[in-house]
Amino acid sequence: ESESHQRWDSAGVEVVENYSAVWSGNDGWTVDPAPFLELGGEDSPPEAQFYQISGTLVLRDGRIVVGNRGTNQLLFFDSAGRFLEGKGREGEGPGDFLGLYRLWSFGVDSLFVFDDYLSRVSVFDAQGRFARSWRVQVPGGVPFWFVFPRTLAGDGSAYFGTRTEGWRPPVGAVKDSLQILRFDRDGSFLADLGPFFWREIYSPGAQRHGTNTTSSWTSDLPFARRSHIGPLGRGFFFADSESFEIKVFAPEGTLQRVVRAVRPNRPVTARDRESLKSEWLGEEGSRGPNSSFSNWVREMVFPETMPAYGRVIGDSEGCLWVSEYRSPGDPLHQATVFDTEGRLLGIVDLPPGLVVREIGRDYLIGVWRDSFDVEHVRMHRLFRQPGFGEPDREAAPLLRPAS
């Protein structure tokens, strides 16, 4: 089809294989490395001192919502960063939370909030008024061992990864999976989409010391592959990070498109291995040098290559942003961008240290930690160059800077 990519049909699934970027010269998009708005930090008012941020959203009128798990509240700010109000409190009543874990938006600024302690979705309107709630349940009343929220699709479908009661952690190195269940926006069960890969983990099983048996521990494998899932258009994408491939599904779980880039995974070097060992042994120092975990780290087997990529996000315009995988101490912070047709546009530099939570038409918003590990919410301007159906650099931004 072109020198940069090829497209073909495989049993009704569109495959897009990319060999090089579409952008050249100054065609690419850019992100301002300096934030135009920042919330949080030690000098902020008490309402903006965050702890365990569980989500950030920008509403259509420019207001910002921050899910703050530390206080189990939804915190509302205006477009200039001024605190407006907090919604919710700790509890089990309507509109309350015990574990504010994930935050999504749907439709005209409806807010979906998942509580992992209660396995409950609470729905709020754009003003933060509680509307309704529902618990994640399936026909037959099969009890869950746990429920893990995965994503909210563009049609309002909610997807949860689950394990039923009686599940036991695997022993050894395994590719772990979750059973993905689909619900409608009101909590009615729609379908079981089957098992999807989740992550690579290791567990030694229960440990016996004399007559006592202690509980087991579980860890990611070194440079573990992890899955990423998120909304894209009316459906969702799924990416397992094994190779540079992302799958796009319709809301009901039908595979529609496979997007690939011919790009080899980076090899794991001796320096990578030693750096990771030092980091993990330092973090687990409290367990002691002879703990089961420490002994495993010293002897653990490394993969030959890194994961193909890090986090994946679908933006408001239907493009996919695939961040580079970053090993410990790696300063590189970039994302490969694919357009709505699956073409590889090019690479965009991202603000250092920013964990991107949402990408709008002309902004990125995410969480950044300072040298004291204090959480801040930062917004950065995104400039999409003309020529790809995007606004000109000189066009008025949708969000105004803080005054």
Side-chain angles (χ1 to χ4, degrees), residues 57-64 77-80 379 398-399:
L57 291 174
V58 179
L59 304 180
R60 296 189 185 189
D61 62 3
R63 285 178 299 139
I64 300 159
F77 299 83
D78 68 14
S79 60
M379 293 187 70
L398 299 180
L399 295 166

Side-chain angles (χ1 to χ4, degrees), residues 113-345:
V113 186
F114 180 70
D115 186 317
D116 62 341
Y117 279 32
L118 300 174
S119 297
R120 186 174 73 181
V121 173
S122 296
V123 183
F124 298 80
D125 69 12
Q127 305 307 316
R129 293 184 291 254
F130 173 75
R132 62 188 184 278
S133 65
W134 48 272
R135 291 180 184 270
V136 180
Q137 296 178 331
V138 296
V142 178
F144 292 121
W145 190 70
F146 75 80
V147 177
F148 184 68
R150 296 301 277 159
T151 192
L152 184 75
D155 75 333
S157 297
Y159 302 85
F160 293 89
T162 64
R163 292 234 175 82
T164 55
E165 193 173 65
W167 178 89
R168 292 293 179 267
V171 176
V174 298
K175 289 183 176 291
D176 198 13
S177 64
L178 292 173
Q179 201 78 8
I180 302 298
L181 306 181
R182 180 190 177 207
F183 298 81
D184 69 14
R185 69 188 70 177
D186 296 317
S188 297
F189 174 75
L190 295 177
D192 183 340
L193 303 188
F196 278 63
F197 168 71
W198 183 18
R199 57 181 182 167
E200 293 180 325
I201 59 172
Y202 175 83
S203 176
Q207 306 290 297
R208 181 174 294 278
H209 300 282
T211 59
N212 298 319
T213 299
T214 64
S215 60
S216 178
W217 51 264
T218 300
S219 171
D220 284 344
L221 287 176
F223 306 118
R225 278 61 172 161
R226 297 182 69 90
S227 66
H228 307 272
I229 185 171
L232 191 70
R234 290 185 57 79
F236 64 95
F237 68 82
F238 176 83
D240 63 16
S241 72
E242 180 63 42
S243 62
F244 216 109
E245 177 179 284
I246 299 99
K247 296 178 179 178
V248 181
F249 292 84
E252 69 275 9
T254 302
L255 180 61
Q256 293 183 317
R257 175 184 290 162
V258 177
V259 179
R260 296 172 180 159
V262 179
R263 183 181 295 179
N265 295 19
R266 184 164 69 85
V268 173
T269 66
R271 181 177 180 180
D272 293 327
R273 293 191 290 269
E274 292 308 311
S275 178
L276 188 68
K277 281 186 177 182
S278 296
E279 179 181 298
W280 284 12
L281 290 172
E283 290 177 353
E284 298 299 324
S286 60
R287 300 192 190 190
N290 296 318
S291 70
S292 171
F293 179 85
S294 297
N295 291 333
W296 172 69
V297 169
R298 294 189 186 94
E299 303 298 328
M300 63 186 177
V301 178
F302 285 83
E304 294 184 359
T305 63
M306 299 288 190
Y309 42 75
R311 299 176 71 241
V312 184
I313 295 178
D315 72 16
S316 63
E317 312 303 299
C319 298
L320 281 169
W321 294 61
V322 184
S323 64
E324 302 292 328
Y325 181 80
R326 300 175 66 207
S327 55
D330 188 350
L332 182 68
H333 204 37
Q334 296 178 321
T336 300
V337 182
F338 297 85
D339 71 7
T340 58
E341 300 299 318
R343 297 182 305 163
L344 194 166
L345 296 180

Side-chain angles (χ1 to χ4, degrees), residues 336-362:
T336 300
V337 182
F338 297 85
D339 71 7
T340 58
E341 300 299 318
R343 297 182 305 163
L344 194 166
L345 296 180
I347 293 176
V348 176
D349 290 327
L350 300 176
L354 184 73
V355 179
V356 179
R357 293 297 185 92
E358 181 188 358
I359 302 175
R361 184 183 177 192
D362 64 354

